[in-house]
């Protein structure tokens, strides 16, 4: 089966109802693995954003923009390829001074040394080729600048076939060393993600000229599960997220 290359992941989020489903998914409290596992790991990795110029690649509905502006960042620019997400982000960020641009990361050129922190949460697995965007991120970081990215964990993106069932009770890791497009059921539709191995992500970051400083799998922390033992056990079964952080030595 031939799957597409160079899909614009933003178009998926522009389909009717998807942006709303995304918001519900993210706002489902302790049942949202992003809120209880991925976001805390990203925030811990970032540390203080006060006074920093922040670029958010694939900013979605701007929720991280709210966090960054509330934390006193000097400036915030979010970029996303979905019109619906950009509209939501602009509305959420009204009055904060943040900016949001509609653009495809595959075309990103970057601005030399214009940012202190670049974040990209759960976006790069929508891109066929992450080399150009990481190179643009590298160019855009000032000396001492930092990059933090998260992606769907490669054990999840690996298999070519995943059944659209309800809550999953078993996971298959297969086709791991075959990078490329994968179709997945997502919000009742089919999304295209791009699989690459852990070592490929690491290599891409390093090839871009970014010094790798951290690799995390955002393991569940018991205290964040509000006594929901079954959910904690479930989240201990397979990794959902891969986080890579790096910097440009000052
Ligand atoms: C899972 S959402 C994550 C949004 C946000 N980073 C967050 O964590 O809340 C993925 C986002 O990536 C955006 N996206 C996917 N492919 C993109 C591309 N090629 N260029 C820019 N944005 C893209 C989508 O429009 C969507 O908003």
């Amino acid at each position: 089966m031939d799957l597409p290359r160079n899909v614009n992941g933003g178009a998926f989020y522009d389909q009717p109802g998807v942006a709303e489903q995304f918001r519900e998914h993210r706002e489902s409290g302790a049942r949202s693995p992003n809120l209880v596992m991925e976001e805390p790991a990203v925030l811990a990795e970032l540390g203080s954003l006060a006074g920093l110029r922040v670029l958010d690649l694939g900013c979605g509905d701007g929720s991280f923009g709210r966090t960054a502006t509330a934390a006193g960042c000097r400036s915030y620019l979010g970029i996303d390829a979905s019109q619906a997400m950009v509209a939501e982000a602009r509305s959420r960020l009204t009055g904060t001074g943040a900016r949001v641009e509609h653009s495809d990361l595959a075309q990103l050129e970057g601005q030399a040394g214009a940012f202190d922190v670049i974040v990209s949460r759960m976006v790069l697995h929508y891109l066929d080729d992450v080399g150009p965007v990481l190179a643009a991120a590298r160019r855009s970081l000032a000396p001492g600048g930092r990059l933090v990215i998260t992606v769907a964990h490669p054990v999840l993106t690996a298999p070519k076939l995943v059944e659209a069932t309800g809550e999953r009770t078993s996971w298959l890791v297969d086709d791991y060393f075959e990078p490329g497009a994968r179709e997945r059921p997502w919000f009742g539709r089919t999304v295209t993600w791009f699989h690459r191995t852990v070592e490929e992500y690491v290599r891409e970051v390093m090839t871009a000229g970014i010094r790798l400083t951290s690799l995390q799998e955002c393991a569940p922390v018991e205290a964040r599960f509000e006594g929901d033992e079954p959910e904690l056990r479930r989240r201990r079964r397979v990794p959902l997220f891969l986080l890579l952080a790096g910097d440009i030595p000052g």
Side-chain angles (χ1 to χ4, degrees), residues 9-10 13 26 58 60 80-82 85 103-105 121-122 126-127:
Y13 286 84
R26 284 293 178 86
D80 201 283
S82 155
M85 290 303 224
S103 175
D104 186 340
L105 294 180
R121 295 177 56 193
M122 304 308 289
Y126 287 84
L127 272 75

Side-chain angles (χ1 to χ4, degrees), residues 35-117:
L35 280 185
V36 294
M37 294 160 68
E38 185 251 0
E39 184 173 272
V42 169
L43 297 181
E45 201 57 62
L46 285 171
S48 172
L49 293 174
L52 301 182
R53 298 164 296 172
V54 177
L55 173 63
D56 187 355
L57 301 176
C59 63
D61 62 13
S63 53
F64 178 73
R66 286 203 68 98
T67 304
T69 50
C73 67
R74 183 163 129 207
S75 64
Y76 170 90
L77 171 63
I79 297 178
D80 201 283
S82 155
Q83 295 275 16
M85 290 303 224
V86 165
E88 176 78 23
R90 285 183 179 150
S91 148
R92 269 181 196 235
L93 294 167
T94 302
T96 63
R99 287 186 303 134
V100 183
E101 284 177 8
H102 177 248
S103 175
D104 186 340
L105 294 180
Q107 318 299 330
L108 187 74
E109 290 184 356
Q111 285 171 263
F115 298 95
D116 305 301
V117 168

Side-chain angles (χ1 to χ4, degrees), residues 181-208:
R182 304 287 195 263
E183 289 192 337
R184 289 288 182 272
W186 190 233
F187 299 138
R189 297 162 196 269
T190 300
V191 70
T192 302
W193 287 348
F194 291 88
H195 170 66
R196 48 190 72 82
T197 62
V198 171
E199 70 181 23
E200 281 179 280
Y201 275 115
V202 168
R203 195 182 316 122
E204 293 280 9
V205 167
M206 293 169 67
T207 301

